[in-house]
Amino acid sequence: MVLPSSNTRATSSMAYPVSLSSLHHHPNNHHAFFLPSKTNHDNTHKPIESSRISRRSLIFLPVLPSLLYASSSPALDDTNIPSTSAIDTTITDRIFMDFSVCPSYFRSDRTLGAELATCPDSEPLGRVIFGLYGRLLPLTTANFKAACTSAAYRGTLVHKLLQGQFFVAGRQGPRRDRGEVQPPTGLVRNAETIDPKAFELKHARPGTLSLCLGQNDDDDDIKLNPNYHNVEFLVTTGPGPCPELDGQNIVFGTVLEGMDVITSIATIPTYKPAERIRFFNDFAQLIGDERAQTARALWDRPLKTVYISDCGELKVTKPSLSPPSLP
């Protein structure tokens, strides 16, 4: 038998395209030489198909089990992702706070040492009602409620406002004329501040009430007191969420009524230091000058004296379920 020349084989391979399903092993060649099968015109017999697996198919065989495992892996199942819907956000207590503005706070004829609660020309902004998650965070809720019912927050200054994010009130200190808070006696030691489960709720919407930990402005000497109780809180103002607060502060309530009051506070202009002042303050803090922290406390302070003119508890006859959806 005379084999065709190389030119003939090249021509025949172009005339008969070779596929994996149509190749068969030549019986007279032990070097696994493949020839194209002839076309079956009379349909009297089927072409001989090879039972061999191509080398290219062998490459993908080890990959198939990992692909099958990944497609059925429980880690990709959405049902195993934890959801905040399982967290008990039942509102067990309702607290009200009346916010006002004192125009005469910086006037020279103001009575020296007079508390903000006795402002003679107070301009009311409105009342805000907070719902507290007493079942989820009983210790944080109990301390906040005790501070409100004992009028410790009355005359407290809103000392920090980040427009479009949140405002902070309840800075601790002995100067009531400066709007600082003196916590009442009988507060419980809040072990929830070191409990990871207490930080599960997120600052996902406007009107979120949170215990201020990461953004706390209390002086270091006050924090080092063995009887220190953190009573500083923040309220998100919107319009969007504040993910930078998550994991640093404890969400323990929400605004039920008076979101328009929160919005009006958020529109008050604040003190913004110049770039040169920021530079010198950073340098002073670097060299350990204590005056840098005192000066920094004035940053983002509202240019109007916003304070809590009254506060207290509204009795709840029956605990309600999750808070209503807010805009």
Side-chain angles (χ1 to χ4, degrees):
M1 177 178 179
V2 179
L3 294 175
S5 62
S6 60
N7 295 335
T8 307
R9 287 198 302 268
T11 307
S12 62
S13 63
M14 295 176 59
Y16 299 93
V18 180
S19 62
L20 291 176
S21 61
S22 62
L23 295 178
H24 65 278
H25 184 266
H26 196 278
N28 296 328
N29 193 346
H30 63 279
H31 294 291
F33 177 75
F34 289 86
L35 289 176
S37 60
K38 296 182 180 180
T39 307
N40 185 11
H41 296 287
D42 53 358
N43 295 327
T44 57
H45 66 278
K46 296 180 179 180
I48 301 175
E49 296 183 359
S50 175
S51 60
R52 291 176 176 268
I53 301 176
S54 65
R55 294 181 179 179
R56 183 176 298 178
S57 302
L58 291 174
I59 297 175
F60 293 99
L61 283 178
V63 185
L64 291 177
S66 61
L67 293 176
L68 293 175
Y69 174 78
S71 62
S72 60
S73 176
L76 299 179
D77 190 1
D78 293 339
T79 59
N80 294 328
I81 299 177
S83 174
T84 56
S85 60
I87 301 176
D88 188 359
T89 56
T90 302
I91 295 175
T92 57
D93 305 275
R94 285 180 173 86
I95 297 296
F96 75 89
M97 284 187 175
D98 295 335
F99 290 88
S100 302
V101 175
C102 183
S104 61
Y105 180 75
F106 294 104
R107 285 172 51 178
S108 59
D109 58 347
R110 177 174 175 263
T111 304
L112 186 63
E115 297 185 8
L116 270 173
T118 61
C119 180
D121 53 352
S122 177
E123 298 177 358
L125 293 177
R127 170 168 292 190
V128 178
I129 298 178
F130 296 101
L132 310 183
Y133 307 143
R135 292 182 182 176
L136 178 65
L137 299 160
L139 300 180
T140 304
T141 299
N143 284 349
F144 184 77
K145 184 170 66 172
C148 289
T149 55
S150 63
Y153 283 127
R154 186 177 300 167
T156 299
L157 187 70
V158 177
H159 63 273
K160 181 183 290 186
L161 170 61
L162 274 70
Q163 293 180 336
Q165 300 182 56
F166 59 92
F167 70 78
V168 185
R171 188 174 188 268
Q172 211 169 134
R175 300 289 302 272
R176 294 290 294 169
D177 58 325
R178 294 183 179 179
E180 296 177 342
V181 178
Q182 294 179 352
T185 58
L187 297 183
V188 297
R189 185 169 297 277
N190 194 353
E192 293 168 351
T193 57
I194 57 175
D195 186 3
K197 295 183 179 180
F199 298 86
E200 292 181 350
L201 289 179
K202 309 299 182 183
H203 301 75
R205 61 182 183 179
T208 299
L209 176 64
S210 181
L211 181 65
C212 220
L213 298 178
Q215 280 68 29
N216 189 280
D217 299 308
D218 293 337
D219 294 334
D220 292 338
D221 56 344
I222 295 178
K223 293 180 181 179
L224 294 176
N225 190 327
N227 298 321
Y228 171 72
H229 297 282
N230 185 11
V231 294
E232 189 170 307
F233 65 93
L234 64 86
V235 182
T236 57
T237 59
C242 296
E244 68 277 4
L245 301 177
D246 296 341
Q248 302 180 23
N249 309 278
I250 300 178
V251 176
F252 68 98
T254 186
V255 173
L256 299 179
E257 298 179 21
M259 195 61 204
D260 56 331
V261 180
I262 302 297
T263 304
S264 63
I265 295 176
T267 58
I268 296 176
T270 59
Y271 170 68
K272 301 291 185 183
E275 190 67 27
R276 183 171 57 89
I277 297 178
R278 289 179 179 271
F279 173 78
F280 284 114
N281 186 277
D282 293 340
F283 178 75
Q285 191 174 21
L286 181 64
I287 63 177
D289 194 338
E290 296 180 355
R291 294 174 296 179
Q293 183 178 359
T294 304
R296 193 181 290 266
L298 299 176
W299 298 2
D300 299 312
R301 173 164 291 191
L303 297 181
K304 292 184 179 180
T305 308
V306 183
Y307 70 102
I308 301 172
S309 55
D310 196 11
C311 58
E313 181 184 7
L314 300 175
K315 296 298 181 180
V316 178
T317 57
K318 183 179 180 181
S320 61
L321 298 178
S322 300
S325 58
L326 297 175

